[in-house]
Amino acid sequence: MTPLVPESVGLPDRRDAVVVDGTPASREELFGAAAAVAARFDDGESAVAVRATPSLGTVATVLAGLTHGVPVVPVPPDAGPREVDHILGDSGARLLADEEIAAALAAPSGRSAASASAVPAPDSVGLILYTSGTTGPPKGVQLSHAALAADLDALADAWAWTPDDVLVHGLPLFHVHGLVLGVLGALRVGSRVVHTRRPTPEAYAKAGGSMYFGVPTVWSRVTEDAASARALAGARLLVSGSAPLPVPVFERLAGLTGIVPVERYGMTETLITVSARADGDKRAGWVGLPVDGVETRLVGEDGTPAPRDGETVGELQVRGRTLFDGYLNRPDATAESFTADGWFRTGDVAVIGADGRHRIVGRASTDLIKSGGYRVGAGEVEGALLAHPAVREAAVVGVPHDDLGQEIVAFVVADGVTGPELTAFVAESLSVHKRPRRVLLREDLPRNAMGKVQKKQLTES
Ligand code: MLC
Ligand code: AMP
């Protein structure tokens, strides 16, 4: 079986096969660097973690793990001690020091990474990605080589993605979007990839790509910069995902670039399961059809199938080759996320049209927030706030926001501390993007007879 990322795709190598923040690397250089990183793995290493900065070092480390059968755990580079301790403690991964990776990059191995080891078994875990639930600390999503390969092949098919493409994006390298699609996808297909470090409109405009990836916040910012938007007119495909693309942004983007965007839907646990096709109908507000190897169904509140009439809402459930292998160390959470007959419960509420097209209409739980395309669990932020000695009560919600989709807002009962101090406190203990952008101090929080905070009342007040 072909490895997830083959050393060669049967075409001549290019010195700029992968460019990150202006630094180019050929495939040969990357595989050499990966072999040098892998040479630093301990015997029987169970997993390695990397501070996933937007850098060639991150790419080489991920490749090292994938080619040597050692699961890789990407850690958000700005994650605070609370988050890092949890990720390393839960995964048992050894965090490779940035200096170790830099040293390996400076002295790449003459041997290639792939030839140094046997191809890892398809059902072995390639990546463990930490992602938020509604409560508690993030859970480790175990993704097998086979699931990753199946999803990338399905997307290459849906998007007619070939080695002639030049993919451009500036998304973080610790999530599915930027890392799996944005790096492993390009390496598997054999297209060039240009990572712009940050996903700014100016950087996208300068990159001259044929395919661009962005979360809706990125596309919204592109449409506010008409000159940059127009510079994308020569591209073939503009792909949006990770959160709902507002219809006005879809329309403005199409108007400015002349390219109708492709929207696709996915989750860390399932990878990308539904997408508009490059050669198909792309409709604002709709995320398209299940990709190859994926089946979907809608289930109503009473547990019975909801009709595919484009109007009836139900919980979206999925199954197929792209699904994860469970949450690490959390058989309870894994079992809860599947139905008795083996379908994964996405927690997203959707409608399906008679033509099979999907439209995501919301989430079942208000405690999972999507801000700037990042999934943030209200419970994790509340826990971080409650760790502050001055905080007595905390409730975190996502409030609709033009730029971010949802803005993280915290309602807090506390003495002798300001909102900005609490924002900074969360930014230090968790990743910066999990910080509440607004902290509203209250005398008390509205609770029901059971003592549970009434979050709906908070957002209405
Ligand atoms: C701000 N900063 C702070 C701070 N406030 N630093 C310390 N303390 C504070 N209190 C700094 C940050 O470090 C950063 O620095 C800068 O300010 C801006 O950070 P930000 O506020 O987080 O950025 P923002 O402009 O709001 O980001 C928008 C964005 C970002 C779109 C660029 O949200 C983003 O990259 N989103 C992508 C999320 C994603 O990839 N999701 C995919 C999940 S996978 P500096 O130096 O860094 O600029 C998935 C599956 C699927 O969902 O379907 O795809
Ligand atoms: P994550 O695990 O970070 O991948 O987040 C997954 C969640 O992002 C899904 O459960 C959806 O709620 C949301 N999501 C991803 N893509 C889309 C999309 N195109 N439209 C609406 N929501 C999306």
Side-chain angles (χ1 to χ4, degrees), residues 78 170-172 175-178 181 197-199 215 217-218 221 241-243 264-268 271-272 370-375 403-404 423-424 427-428 432-433 435 437:
D78 63 350
L171 297 168
H175 282 313
V176 163
H177 200 162
L181 275 56
R197 198 184 79 82
R198 298 276 298 169
V215 297
T217 302
V218 169
R221 292 178 185 183
S242 305
R264 93 303 180 280
Y265 159 86
M267 279 185 88
T268 308
L271 300 175
I272 308 310
K370 266 271 157 165
S371 186
Y374 284 116
R375 169 167 151 187
D403 178 49
L404 298 167
T423 294
E428 276 159 29
V432 169
H433 65 261
R435 72 192 187 280
R437 307 245 177 170

mmCIF file of all heavy atoms in Angstrom, residues 78 170-172 175-178 181 197-199 215 217-218 221 241-243 264-268 271-272 370-375 403-404 423-424 427-428 432-433 435 437, ligand 1:
data_model
loop_
_atom_site.group_PDB
_atom_site.id
_atom_site.type_symbol
_atom_site.label_atom_id
_atom_site.label_comp_id
_atom_site.label_asym_id
_atom_site.label_seq_id
_atom_site.Cartn_x
_atom_site.Cartn_y
_atom_site.Cartn_z
ATOM 1 N N ASP A 78 1.419 28.509 21.014
ATOM 2 C CA ASP A 78 1.209 29.494 22.072
ATOM 3 C C ASP A 78 0.452 28.892 23.258
ATOM 4 O O ASP A 78 -0.025 29.624 24.123
ATOM 5 C CB ASP A 78 0.458 30.707 21.519
ATOM 6 C CG ASP A 78 -0.928 30.346 21.023
ATOM 7 O OD1 ASP A 78 -1.227 29.136 20.924
ATOM 8 O OD2 ASP A 78 -1.728 31.256 20.738
ATOM 9 N N GLY A 170 -2.396 30.007 5.111
ATOM 10 C CA GLY A 170 -1.560 30.416 6.246
ATOM 11 C C GLY A 170 -2.205 29.953 7.539
ATOM 12 O O GLY A 170 -2.173 30.669 8.532
ATOM 13 N N LEU A 171 -2.790 28.758 7.483
ATOM 14 C CA LEU A 171 -3.549 28.257 8.644
ATOM 15 C C LEU A 171 -2.636 27.536 9.623
ATOM 16 O O LEU A 171 -1.580 27.019 9.241
ATOM 17 C CB LEU A 171 -4.660 27.316 8.146
ATOM 18 C CG LEU A 171 -5.690 28.023 7.255
ATOM 19 C CD1 LEU A 171 -6.581 27.013 6.547
ATOM 20 C CD2 LEU A 171 -6.534 28.997 8.078
ATOM 21 N N PRO A 172 -3.053 27.466 10.897
ATOM 22 C CA PRO A 172 -2.201 26.825 11.904
ATOM 23 C C PRO A 172 -1.927 25.352 11.582
ATOM 24 O O PRO A 172 -2.785 24.655 11.034
ATOM 25 C CB PRO A 172 -3.014 26.961 13.198
ATOM 26 C CG PRO A 172 -4.384 27.385 12.794
ATOM 27 C CD PRO A 172 -4.297 28.007 11.455
ATOM 28 N N HIS A 175 -4.029 21.727 13.454
ATOM 29 C CA HIS A 175 -5.396 21.259 13.245
ATOM 30 C C HIS A 175 -5.519 20.605 11.880
ATOM 31 O O HIS A 175 -4.639 20.727 11.023
ATOM 32 C CB HIS A 175 -6.381 22.420 13.339
ATOM 33 C CG HIS A 175 -6.682 22.838 14.751
ATOM 34 N ND1 HIS A 175 -6.994 21.937 15.737
ATOM 35 C CD2 HIS A 175 -6.730 24.055 15.338
ATOM 36 C CE1 HIS A 175 -7.216 22.576 16.868
ATOM 37 N NE2 HIS A 175 -7.045 23.873 16.660
ATOM 38 N N VAL A 176 -6.674 19.959 11.693
ATOM 39 C CA VAL A 176 -6.921 19.245 10.440
ATOM 40 C C VAL A 176 -6.769 20.167 9.222
ATOM 41 O O VAL A 176 -6.115 19.801 8.235
ATOM 42 C CB VAL A 176 -8.353 18.634 10.472
ATOM 43 C CG1 VAL A 176 -8.828 18.256 9.076
ATOM 44 C CG2 VAL A 176 -8.368 17.426 11.394
ATOM 45 N N HIS A 177 -7.360 21.347 9.310
ATOM 46 C CA HIS A 177 -7.411 22.203 8.119
ATOM 47 C C HIS A 177 -6.000 22.528 7.598
ATOM 48 O O HIS A 177 -5.665 22.218 6.457
ATOM 49 C CB HIS A 177 -8.195 23.480 8.454
ATOM 50 C CG HIS A 177 -8.725 24.197 7.251
ATOM 51 N ND1 HIS A 177 -9.727 25.126 7.333
ATOM 52 C CD2 HIS A 177 -8.400 24.138 5.948
ATOM 53 C CE1 HIS A 177 -9.992 25.594 6.121
ATOM 54 N NE2 HIS A 177 -9.192 25.017 5.266
ATOM 55 N N GLY A 178 -5.186 23.144 8.457
ATOM 56 C CA GLY A 178 -3.859 23.572 8.009
ATOM 57 C C GLY A 178 -2.874 22.427 7.855
ATOM 58 O O GLY A 178 -2.076 22.403 6.911
ATOM 59 N N LEU A 181 -5.014 18.803 5.594
ATOM 60 C CA LEU A 181 -5.339 19.179 4.217
ATOM 61 C C LEU A 181 -4.203 20.018 3.627
ATOM 62 O O LEU A 181 -3.769 19.786 2.500
ATOM 63 C CB LEU A 181 -6.627 20.006 4.191
ATOM 64 C CG LEU A 181 -7.938 19.248 4.169
ATOM 65 C CD1 LEU A 181 -8.061 18.288 5.328
ATOM 66 C CD2 LEU A 181 -9.101 20.233 4.223
ATOM 67 N N ARG A 197 2.518 31.797 6.675
ATOM 68 C CA ARG A 197 2.691 32.050 8.114
ATOM 69 C C ARG A 197 1.413 32.544 8.773
ATOM 70 O O ARG A 197 0.978 31.974 9.746
ATOM 71 C CB ARG A 197 3.856 32.994 8.446
ATOM 72 C CG ARG A 197 4.282 32.877 9.930
ATOM 73 C CD ARG A 197 5.351 33.858 10.325
ATOM 74 N NE ARG A 197 4.843 35.174 10.558
ATOM 75 C CZ ARG A 197 4.268 35.578 11.689
ATOM 76 N NH1 ARG A 197 4.143 34.751 12.707
ATOM 77 N NH2 ARG A 197 3.823 36.805 11.815
ATOM 78 N N ARG A 198 0.836 33.605 8.264
ATOM 79 C CA ARG A 198 -0.464 34.073 8.753
ATOM 80 C C ARG A 198 -1.396 34.162 7.542
ATOM 81 O O ARG A 198 -0.948 34.490 6.439
ATOM 82 C CB ARG A 198 -0.345 35.461 9.386
ATOM 83 C CG ARG A 198 0.559 35.529 10.591
ATOM 84 C CD ARG A 198 -0.112 35.132 11.872
ATOM 85 N NE ARG A 198 -1.219 36.004 12.217
ATOM 86 C CZ ARG A 198 -2.090 35.725 13.199
ATOM 87 N NH1 ARG A 198 -1.972 34.620 13.893
ATOM 88 N NH2 ARG A 198 -3.075 36.561 13.477
ATOM 89 N N PRO A 199 -2.692 33.918 7.743
ATOM 90 C CA PRO A 199 -3.603 33.933 6.584
ATOM 91 C C PRO A 199 -4.130 35.330 6.280
ATOM 92 O O PRO A 199 -5.327 35.583 6.331
ATOM 93 C CB PRO A 199 -4.726 32.990 7.037
ATOM 94 C CG PRO A 199 -4.760 33.139 8.533
ATOM 95 C CD PRO A 199 -3.362 33.473 8.992
ATOM 96 N N VAL A 215 -10.428 29.743 6.520
ATOM 97 C CA VAL A 215 -11.626 29.677 7.363
ATOM 98 C C VAL A 215 -12.454 30.918 7.020
ATOM 99 O O VAL A 215 -11.927 31.865 6.422
ATOM 100 C CB VAL A 215 -11.249 29.624 8.868
ATOM 101 C CG1 VAL A 215 -10.466 28.363 9.188
ATOM 102 C CG2 VAL A 215 -10.452 30.861 9.300
ATOM 103 N N THR A 217 -13.401 33.511 8.574
ATOM 104 C CA THR A 217 -12.825 34.797 9.006
ATOM 105 C C THR A 217 -11.794 35.287 7.994
ATOM 106 O O THR A 217 -11.717 36.483 7.694
ATOM 107 C CB THR A 217 -12.173 34.640 10.398
ATOM 108 O OG1 THR A 217 -13.163 34.189 11.315
ATOM 109 C CG2 THR A 217 -11.561 35.936 10.900
ATOM 110 N N VAL A 218 -11.016 34.369 7.457
ATOM 111 C CA VAL A 218 -10.011 34.747 6.453
ATOM 112 C C VAL A 218 -10.705 35.291 5.205
ATOM 113 O O VAL A 218 -10.334 36.354 4.681
ATOM 114 C CB VAL A 218 -9.138 33.522 6.090
ATOM 115 C CG1 VAL A 218 -8.269 33.810 4.874
ATOM 116 C CG2 VAL A 218 -8.295 33.102 7.290
ATOM 117 N N ARG A 221 -12.130 38.712 5.748
ATOM 118 C CA ARG A 221 -11.092 39.755 5.709
ATOM 119 C C ARG A 221 -10.621 40.000 4.277
ATOM 120 O O ARG A 221 -10.317 41.132 3.904
ATOM 121 C CB ARG A 221 -9.925 39.355 6.619
ATOM 122 C CG ARG A 221 -10.332 39.375 8.091
ATOM 123 C CD ARG A 221 -9.213 38.944 9.019
ATOM 124 N NE ARG A 221 -9.711 38.881 10.404
ATOM 125 C CZ ARG A 221 -8.951 38.597 11.456
ATOM 126 N NH1 ARG A 221 -7.667 38.361 11.307
ATOM 127 N NH2 ARG A 221 -9.479 38.557 12.664
ATOM 128 N N GLY A 241 -13.813 26.428 4.898
ATOM 129 C CA GLY A 241 -14.277 25.394 5.814
ATOM 130 C C GLY A 241 -13.884 25.699 7.229
ATOM 131 O O GLY A 241 -13.243 26.706 7.505
ATOM 132 N N SER A 242 -14.277 24.810 8.125
ATOM 133 C CA SER A 242 -14.034 24.858 9.582
ATOM 134 C C SER A 242 -15.112 25.608 10.335
ATOM 135 O O SER A 242 -15.182 25.516 11.551
ATOM 136 C CB SER A 242 -12.673 25.456 9.954
ATOM 137 O OG SER A 242 -11.628 24.770 9.312
ATOM 138 N N ALA A 243 -15.926 26.370 9.648
ATOM 139 C CA ALA A 243 -17.030 27.106 10.266
ATOM 140 C C ALA A 243 -17.937 27.568 9.128
ATOM 141 O O ALA A 243 -17.512 27.549 7.963
ATOM 142 C CB ALA A 243 -16.490 28.311 11.051
ATOM 143 N N ARG A 264 -16.760 23.323 2.253
ATOM 144 C CA ARG A 264 -16.742 21.927 2.697
ATOM 145 C C ARG A 264 -16.862 21.886 4.208
ATOM 146 O O ARG A 264 -16.573 22.855 4.908
ATOM 147 C CB ARG A 264 -15.506 21.217 2.136
ATOM 148 C CG ARG A 264 -14.270 21.186 2.998
ATOM 149 C CD ARG A 264 -13.769 22.518 3.412
ATOM 150 N NE ARG A 264 -12.595 22.526 4.246
ATOM 151 C CZ ARG A 264 -12.551 22.301 5.572
ATOM 152 N NH1 ARG A 264 -13.604 21.997 6.232
ATOM 153 N NH2 ARG A 264 -11.420 22.379 6.230
ATOM 154 N N TYR A 265 -17.302 20.725 4.695
ATOM 155 C CA TYR A 265 -17.622 20.570 6.119
ATOM 156 C C TYR A 265 -16.859 19.387 6.702
ATOM 157 O O TYR A 265 -16.690 18.365 6.033
ATOM 158 C CB TYR A 265 -19.132 20.336 6.244
ATOM 159 C CG TYR A 265 -19.544 19.678 7.536
ATOM 160 C CD1 TYR A 265 -19.789 20.433 8.681
ATOM 161 C CD2 TYR A 265 -19.665 18.290 7.612
ATOM 162 C CE1 TYR A 265 -20.144 19.817 9.864
ATOM 163 C CE2 TYR A 265 -20.026 17.675 8.801
ATOM 164 C CZ TYR A 265 -20.259 18.439 9.921
ATOM 165 O OH TYR A 265 -20.600 17.834 11.097
ATOM 166 N N GLY A 266 -16.372 19.553 7.909
ATOM 167 C CA GLY A 266 -15.699 18.424 8.543
ATOM 168 C C GLY A 266 -15.540 18.624 10.018
ATOM 169 O O GLY A 266 -16.048 19.587 10.601
ATOM 170 N N MET A 267 -14.824 17.704 10.616
ATOM 171 C CA MET A 267 -14.536 17.738 12.051
ATOM 172 C C MET A 267 -13.211 17.045 12.273
ATOM 173 O O MET A 267 -12.844 16.151 11.497
ATOM 174 C CB MET A 267 -15.581 16.925 12.827
ATOM 175 C CG MET A 267 -16.860 17.622 13.093
ATOM 176 S SD MET A 267 -17.924 16.600 14.142
ATOM 177 C CE MET A 267 -17.382 17.085 15.772
ATOM 178 N N THR A 268 -12.550 17.367 13.348
ATOM 179 C CA THR A 268 -11.309 16.680 13.676
ATOM 180 C C THR A 268 -11.543 15.160 13.713
ATOM 181 O O THR A 268 -10.735 14.380 13.213
ATOM 182 C CB THR A 268 -10.789 17.177 15.035
ATOM 183 O OG1 THR A 268 -10.729 18.604 15.002
ATOM 184 C CG2 THR A 268 -9.423 16.614 15.347
ATOM 185 N N LEU A 271 -12.586 13.962 9.926
ATOM 186 C CA LEU A 271 -11.926 14.628 8.797
ATOM 187 C C LEU A 271 -13.019 15.252 7.908
ATOM 188 O O LEU A 271 -14.150 15.411 8.364
ATOM 189 C CB LEU A 271 -11.000 13.660 8.065
ATOM 190 C CG LEU A 271 -9.892 13.098 8.986
ATOM 191 C CD1 LEU A 271 -9.047 12.050 8.280
ATOM 192 C CD2 LEU A 271 -9.001 14.214 9.524
ATOM 193 N N ILE A 272 -12.688 15.594 6.692
ATOM 194 C CA ILE A 272 -13.665 16.344 5.882
ATOM 195 C C ILE A 272 -14.609 15.344 5.222
ATOM 196 O O ILE A 272 -14.165 14.473 4.462
ATOM 197 C CB ILE A 272 -12.951 17.200 4.815
ATOM 198 C CG1 ILE A 272 -11.861 18.059 5.466
ATOM 199 C CG2 ILE A 272 -13.960 18.051 4.022
ATOM 200 C CD1 ILE A 272 -12.271 18.867 6.683
ATOM 201 N N LYS A 370 -17.283 28.196 17.980
ATOM 202 C CA LYS A 370 -16.360 28.269 16.844
ATOM 203 C C LYS A 370 -15.980 29.727 16.670
ATOM 204 O O LYS A 370 -16.814 30.561 16.291
ATOM 205 C CB LYS A 370 -17.046 27.757 15.585
ATOM 206 C CG LYS A 370 -16.785 26.286 15.345
ATOM 207 C CD LYS A 370 -15.524 26.074 14.520
ATOM 208 C CE LYS A 370 -14.931 24.706 14.704
ATOM 209 N NZ LYS A 370 -13.951 24.354 13.680
ATOM 210 N N SER A 371 -14.749 30.058 16.951
ATOM 211 C CA SER A 371 -14.316 31.445 16.863
ATOM 212 C C SER A 371 -13.109 31.523 15.940
ATOM 213 O O SER A 371 -12.085 30.886 16.216
ATOM 214 C CB SER A 371 -13.973 31.945 18.273
ATOM 215 O OG SER A 371 -13.675 33.319 18.235
ATOM 216 N N GLY A 372 -13.247 32.222 14.847
ATOM 217 C CA GLY A 372 -12.151 32.291 13.864
ATOM 218 C C GLY A 372 -11.826 30.919 13.296
ATOM 219 O O GLY A 372 -10.719 30.692 12.830
ATOM 220 N N GLY A 373 -12.785 29.983 13.338
ATOM 221 C CA GLY A 373 -12.533 28.620 12.840
ATOM 222 C C GLY A 373 -11.943 27.706 13.890
ATOM 223 O O GLY A 373 -11.772 26.517 13.669
ATOM 224 N N TYR A 374 -11.618 28.235 15.050
ATOM 225 C CA TYR A 374 -11.110 27.415 16.152
ATOM 226 C C TYR A 374 -12.286 26.896 16.972
ATOM 227 O O TYR A 374 -13.199 27.664 17.310
ATOM 228 C CB TYR A 374 -10.228 28.235 17.094
ATOM 229 C CG TYR A 374 -8.846 28.538 16.585
ATOM 230 C CD1 TYR A 374 -8.445 29.843 16.333
ATOM 231 C CD2 TYR A 374 -7.914 27.520 16.393
ATOM 232 C CE1 TYR A 374 -7.154 30.129 15.898
ATOM 233 C CE2 TYR A 374 -6.627 27.798 15.965
ATOM 234 C CZ TYR A 374 -6.252 29.098 15.721
ATOM 235 O OH TYR A 374 -4.988 29.385 15.297
ATOM 236 N N ARG A 375 -12.224 25.618 17.321
ATOM 237 C CA ARG A 375 -13.257 25.021 18.178
ATOM 238 C C ARG A 375 -12.825 25.192 19.624
ATOM 239 O O ARG A 375 -11.725 24.784 19.990
ATOM 240 C CB ARG A 375 -13.354 23.557 17.795
ATOM 241 C CG ARG A 375 -14.168 22.671 18.691
ATOM 242 C CD ARG A 375 -14.382 21.370 17.939
ATOM 243 N NE ARG A 375 -14.519 20.233 18.793
ATOM 244 C CZ ARG A 375 -14.576 18.978 18.343
ATOM 245 N NH1 ARG A 375 -14.462 18.729 17.034
ATOM 246 N NH2 ARG A 375 -14.717 17.977 19.164
ATOM 247 N N ASP A 403 -16.698 39.255 12.291
ATOM 248 C CA ASP A 403 -15.369 38.843 11.816
ATOM 249 C C ASP A 403 -15.061 37.388 12.197
ATOM 250 O O ASP A 403 -14.582 36.609 11.382
ATOM 251 C CB ASP A 403 -14.317 39.787 12.411
ATOM 252 C CG ASP A 403 -12.893 39.424 12.024
ATOM 253 O OD1 ASP A 403 -12.635 39.213 10.830
ATOM 254 O OD2 ASP A 403 -12.031 39.348 12.931
ATOM 255 N N LEU A 404 -15.349 37.032 13.436
ATOM 256 C CA LEU A 404 -14.909 35.715 13.956
ATOM 257 C C LEU A 404 -15.985 34.641 13.865
ATOM 258 O O LEU A 404 -15.733 33.494 14.217
ATOM 259 C CB LEU A 404 -14.471 35.860 15.420
ATOM 260 C CG LEU A 404 -13.271 36.792 15.655
ATOM 261 C CD1 LEU A 404 -13.117 37.114 17.143
ATOM 262 C CD2 LEU A 404 -11.981 36.150 15.131
ATOM 263 N N THR A 423 -8.735 38.156 30.795
ATOM 264 C CA THR A 423 -8.445 37.759 29.408
ATOM 265 C C THR A 423 -6.984 37.338 29.294
ATOM 266 O O THR A 423 -6.667 36.284 28.732
ATOM 267 C CB THR A 423 -8.735 38.938 28.452
ATOM 268 O OG1 THR A 423 -10.131 39.185 28.473
ATOM 269 C CG2 THR A 423 -8.298 38.635 27.034
ATOM 270 N N ALA A 424 -6.106 38.155 29.857
ATOM 271 C CA ALA A 424 -4.668 37.840 29.788
ATOM 272 C C ALA A 424 -4.358 36.560 30.559
ATOM 273 O O ALA A 424 -3.526 35.753 30.134
ATOM 274 C CB ALA A 424 -3.852 39.006 30.350
ATOM 275 N N ALA A 427 -5.297 33.690 28.352
ATOM 276 C CA ALA A 427 -4.356 33.620 27.213
ATOM 277 C C ALA A 427 -3.033 32.999 27.646
ATOM 278 O O ALA A 427 -2.363 32.337 26.856
ATOM 279 C CB ALA A 427 -4.124 35.013 26.633
ATOM 280 N N GLU A 428 -2.669 33.195 28.921
ATOM 281 C CA GLU A 428 -1.407 32.616 29.413
ATOM 282 C C GLU A 428 -1.530 31.136 29.756
ATOM 283 O O GLU A 428 -0.586 30.385 29.589
ATOM 284 C CB GLU A 428 -0.937 33.359 30.671
ATOM 285 C CG GLU A 428 -0.159 34.613 30.345
ATOM 286 C CD GLU A 428 -0.155 35.576 31.524
ATOM 287 O OE1 GLU A 428 -0.240 35.113 32.677
ATOM 288 O OE2 GLU A 428 -0.093 36.791 31.254
ATOM 289 N N VAL A 432 -3.748 31.258 23.054
ATOM 290 C CA VAL A 432 -4.221 32.646 22.983
ATOM 291 C C VAL A 432 -5.619 32.736 22.350
ATOM 292 O O VAL A 432 -6.461 33.523 22.770
ATOM 293 C CB VAL A 432 -3.201 33.502 22.208
ATOM 294 C CG1 VAL A 432 -3.755 34.872 21.882
ATOM 295 C CG2 VAL A 432 -1.918 33.637 23.016
ATOM 296 N N HIS A 433 -5.881 31.858 21.338
ATOM 297 C CA HIS A 433 -7.184 31.977 20.658
ATOM 298 C C HIS A 433 -8.353 31.525 21.541
ATOM 299 O O HIS A 433 -9.496 31.730 21.179
ATOM 300 C CB HIS A 433 -7.173 31.221 19.324
ATOM 301 C CG HIS A 433 -7.016 29.741 19.461
ATOM 302 N ND1 HIS A 433 -5.812 29.098 19.296
ATOM 303 C CD2 HIS A 433 -7.902 28.782 19.765
ATOM 304 C CE1 HIS A 433 -5.977 27.808 19.486
ATOM 305 N NE2 HIS A 433 -7.231 27.580 19.774
ATOM 306 N N ARG A 435 -8.824 32.689 24.539
ATOM 307 C CA ARG A 435 -9.108 33.739 25.525
ATOM 308 C C ARG A 435 -10.465 34.376 25.237
ATOM 309 O O ARG A 435 -10.829 34.562 24.073
ATOM 310 C CB ARG A 435 -8.025 34.816 25.466
ATOM 311 C CG ARG A 435 -8.102 35.688 24.215
ATOM 312 C CD ARG A 435 -6.883 36.557 24.023
ATOM 313 N NE ARG A 435 -7.018 37.493 22.921
ATOM 314 C CZ ARG A 435 -6.847 37.196 21.646
ATOM 315 N NH1 ARG A 435 -6.548 35.952 21.286
ATOM 316 N NH2 ARG A 435 -6.983 38.117 20.714
ATOM 317 N N ARG A 437 -12.634 37.329 24.481
ATOM 318 C CA ARG A 437 -12.289 38.671 23.988
ATOM 319 C C ARG A 437 -12.996 39.720 24.841
ATOM 320 O O ARG A 437 -12.560 40.852 24.913
ATOM 321 C CB ARG A 437 -12.684 38.811 22.522
ATOM 322 C CG ARG A 437 -12.105 37.684 21.672
ATOM 323 C CD ARG A 437 -11.105 38.148 20.665
ATOM 324 N NE ARG A 437 -10.569 36.971 19.968
ATOM 325 C CZ ARG A 437 -9.809 37.031 18.903
ATOM 326 N NH1 ARG A 437 -9.466 38.187 18.379
ATOM 327 N NH2 ARG A 437 -9.354 35.931 18.341
HETATM 328 C C1 MLC B 1 -3.750 38.793 21.032
HETATM 329 N N1 MLC B 1 -2.535 38.255 20.992
HETATM 330 C C2 MLC B 1 -2.206 37.972 22.253
HETATM 331 C C3 MLC B 1 -3.275 38.364 23.090
HETATM 332 N N2 MLC B 1 -4.195 38.875 22.301
HETATM 333 N N3 MLC B 1 -1.118 37.423 22.772
HETATM 334 C C4 MLC B 1 -1.059 37.250 24.107
HETATM 335 N N4 MLC B 1 -2.045 37.590 24.952
HETATM 336 C C5 MLC B 1 -3.169 38.160 24.496
HETATM 337 N N5 MLC B 1 -4.119 38.502 25.362
HETATM 338 C C6 MLC B 1 -1.736 38.027 19.770
HETATM 339 C C7 MLC B 1 -1.690 36.633 19.248
HETATM 340 O O1 MLC B 1 -0.664 35.866 19.817
HETATM 341 C C8 MLC B 1 -1.412 36.842 17.759
HETATM 342 O O2 MLC B 1 -0.045 37.110 17.539
HETATM 343 C C9 MLC B 1 -2.191 38.095 17.493
HETATM 344 O O3 MLC B 1 -2.363 38.757 18.740
HETATM 345 C C10 MLC B 1 -3.554 37.832 16.867
HETATM 346 O O4 MLC B 1 -4.065 36.674 17.456
HETATM 347 P P1 MLC B 1 -5.598 36.306 17.342
HETATM 348 O O5 MLC B 1 -6.367 37.355 18.033
HETATM 349 O O6 MLC B 1 -5.818 34.916 17.758
HETATM 350 O O7 MLC B 1 -5.770 36.390 15.785
HETATM 351 P P2 MLC B 1 -6.940 36.790 14.904
HETATM 352 O O8 MLC B 1 -6.505 37.878 14.003
HETATM 353 O O9 MLC B 1 -8.197 37.018 15.644
HETATM 354 O O10 MLC B 1 -7.042 35.442 14.105
HETATM 355 C C11 MLC B 1 -7.913 35.218 13.068
HETATM 356 C C12 MLC B 1 -7.455 33.993 12.307
HETATM 357 C C13 MLC B 1 -7.295 32.847 13.307
HETATM 358 C C14 MLC B 1 -8.489 33.665 11.271
HETATM 359 C C15 MLC B 1 -6.117 34.296 11.644
HETATM 360 O O11 MLC B 1 -8.477 32.723 14.064
HETATM 361 C C16 MLC B 1 -6.945 31.538 12.651
HETATM 362 O O12 MLC B 1 -5.816 31.287 12.242
HETATM 363 N N6 MLC B 1 -7.947 30.622 12.530
HETATM 364 C C17 MLC B 1 -7.764 29.314 11.930
HETATM 365 C C18 MLC B 1 -8.336 28.247 12.797
HETATM 366 C C19 MLC B 1 -8.269 26.870 12.140
HETATM 367 O O13 MLC B 1 -7.364 26.593 11.374
HETATM 368 N N7 MLC B 1 -9.216 26.030 12.422
HETATM 369 C C20 MLC B 1 -9.308 24.726 11.810
HETATM 370 C C21 MLC B 1 -9.746 23.696 12.796
HETATM 371 S S1 MLC B 1 -9.867 22.123 11.960
HETATM 372 P P3 MLC B 1 0.714 36.708 16.183
HETATM 373 O O14 MLC B 1 2.127 37.100 16.416
HETATM 374 O O15 MLC B 1 0.517 35.237 16.011
HETATM 375 O O16 MLC B 1 0.053 37.520 15.101
HETATM 376 C C22 MLC B 1 -11.490 22.002 11.563
HETATM 377 C C23 MLC B 1 -11.909 20.891 10.676
HETATM 378 C C24 MLC B 1 -12.371 21.536 9.454
HETATM 379 O O17 MLC B 1 -12.242 22.831 11.917
HETATM 380 O O18 MLC B 1 -13.541 21.410 9.066
HETATM 381 O O19 MLC B 1 -11.526 22.215 8.888
#
